[in-house]
mmCIF file of all heavy atoms in Angstrom:
data_model
loop_
_atom_site.group_PDB
_atom_site.id
_atom_site.type_symbol
_atom_site.label_atom_id
_atom_site.label_comp_id
_atom_site.label_asym_id
_atom_site.label_seq_id
_atom_site.Cartn_x
_atom_site.Cartn_y
_atom_site.Cartn_z
ATOM 1 N N LEU A 652 46.121 205.145 207.648
ATOM 2 C CA LEU A 652 44.885 204.431 207.263
ATOM 3 C C LEU A 652 45.199 203.034 206.698
ATOM 4 O O LEU A 652 44.345 202.138 206.740
ATOM 5 C CB LEU A 652 44.083 205.227 206.224
ATOM 6 C CG LEU A 652 43.824 206.715 206.584
ATOM 7 C CD1 LEU A 652 42.887 207.333 205.528
ATOM 8 C CD2 LEU A 652 43.191 206.807 207.951
ATOM 9 N N SER A 653 46.434 202.884 206.099
ATOM 10 C CA SER A 653 46.810 201.636 205.503
ATOM 11 C C SER A 653 47.872 200.941 206.310
ATOM 12 O O SER A 653 48.953 201.527 206.561
ATOM 13 C CB SER A 653 47.336 201.916 204.102
ATOM 14 O OG SER A 653 48.019 200.792 203.560
ATOM 15 N N GLU A 654 47.644 199.772 206.759
ATOM 16 C CA GLU A 654 48.624 198.990 207.505
ATOM 17 C C GLU A 654 49.927 198.774 206.763
ATOM 18 O O GLU A 654 51.004 199.090 207.277
ATOM 19 C CB GLU A 654 47.996 197.657 207.980
ATOM 20 C CG GLU A 654 48.963 196.868 208.869
ATOM 21 C CD GLU A 654 48.328 195.576 209.282
ATOM 22 O OE1 GLU A 654 47.147 195.341 209.067
ATOM 23 O OE2 GLU A 654 49.040 194.743 209.962
ATOM 24 N N PRO A 655 49.859 198.388 205.471
ATOM 25 C CA PRO A 655 51.103 198.235 204.757
ATOM 26 C C PRO A 655 51.892 199.560 204.533
ATOM 27 O O PRO A 655 53.071 199.590 204.665
ATOM 28 C CB PRO A 655 50.677 197.634 203.425
ATOM 29 C CG PRO A 655 49.350 197.008 203.679
ATOM 30 C CD PRO A 655 48.654 197.845 204.688
ATOM 31 N N ALA A 656 51.148 200.642 204.258
ATOM 32 C CA ALA A 656 51.782 201.963 204.021
ATOM 33 C C ALA A 656 52.495 202.401 205.291
ATOM 34 O O ALA A 656 53.565 202.905 205.292
ATOM 35 C CB ALA A 656 50.791 202.931 203.513
ATOM 36 N N PHE A 657 51.756 202.312 206.399
ATOM 37 C CA PHE A 657 52.295 202.725 207.710
ATOM 38 C C PHE A 657 53.559 201.904 208.029
ATOM 39 O O PHE A 657 54.561 202.514 208.485
ATOM 40 C CB PHE A 657 51.240 202.494 208.798
ATOM 41 C CG PHE A 657 51.570 203.161 210.087
ATOM 42 C CD1 PHE A 657 51.485 204.542 210.278
ATOM 43 C CD2 PHE A 657 51.913 202.379 211.230
ATOM 44 C CE1 PHE A 657 51.780 205.178 211.467
ATOM 45 C CE2 PHE A 657 52.171 202.971 212.438
ATOM 46 C CZ PHE A 657 52.134 204.373 212.550
ATOM 47 N N ASP A 658 53.525 200.636 207.849
ATOM 48 C CA ASP A 658 54.728 199.790 208.071
ATOM 49 C C ASP A 658 55.872 200.137 207.179
ATOM 50 O O ASP A 658 57.043 200.233 207.618
ATOM 51 C CB ASP A 658 54.313 198.333 207.938
ATOM 52 C CG ASP A 658 55.404 197.398 208.392
ATOM 53 O OD1 ASP A 658 55.564 197.257 209.608
ATOM 54 O OD2 ASP A 658 56.149 196.842 207.546
ATOM 55 N N THR A 659 55.563 200.478 205.914
ATOM 56 C CA THR A 659 56.585 200.796 204.963
ATOM 57 C C THR A 659 57.291 202.061 205.367
ATOM 58 O O THR A 659 58.535 202.249 205.275
ATOM 59 C CB THR A 659 56.010 200.961 203.560
ATOM 60 O OG1 THR A 659 55.502 199.641 203.144
ATOM 61 C CG2 THR A 659 57.129 201.334 202.507
ATOM 62 N N VAL A 660 56.552 203.057 205.826
ATOM 63 C CA VAL A 660 57.119 204.363 206.187
ATOM 64 C C VAL A 660 57.835 204.234 207.576
ATOM 65 O O VAL A 660 58.962 204.686 207.683
ATOM 66 C CB VAL A 660 56.018 205.427 206.261
ATOM 67 C CG1 VAL A 660 56.546 206.691 206.918
ATOM 68 C CG2 VAL A 660 55.533 205.744 204.881
ATOM 69 N N VAL A 661 57.168 203.646 208.572
ATOM 70 C CA VAL A 661 57.708 203.717 209.929
ATOM 71 C C VAL A 661 58.814 202.672 210.103
ATOM 72 O O VAL A 661 59.923 203.001 210.578
ATOM 73 C CB VAL A 661 56.591 203.451 210.966
ATOM 74 C CG1 VAL A 661 57.140 203.446 212.386
ATOM 75 C CG2 VAL A 661 55.519 204.560 210.816
ATOM 76 N N ARG A 662 58.569 201.433 209.711
ATOM 77 C CA ARG A 662 59.635 200.400 209.901
ATOM 78 C C ARG A 662 60.494 200.236 208.699
ATOM 79 O O ARG A 662 61.676 199.940 208.808
ATOM 80 C CB ARG A 662 58.945 199.045 210.216
ATOM 81 C CG ARG A 662 58.380 198.991 211.668
ATOM 82 C CD ARG A 662 58.261 197.596 212.157
ATOM 83 N NE ARG A 662 57.197 196.794 211.448
ATOM 84 C CZ ARG A 662 56.719 195.632 211.813
ATOM 85 N NH1 ARG A 662 57.201 195.084 212.940
ATOM 86 N NH2 ARG A 662 55.830 194.975 211.121
ATOM 87 N N GLY A 663 59.946 200.544 207.543
ATOM 88 C CA GLY A 663 60.758 200.366 206.299
ATOM 89 C C GLY A 663 61.608 201.560 205.949
ATOM 90 O O GLY A 663 62.472 201.455 205.161
#
Side-chain angles (χ1 to χ4, degrees):
L652 309 186
S653 164
E654 183 178 354
F657 191 72
D658 189 74
T659 298
V660 170
V661 178
R662 288 201 293 191

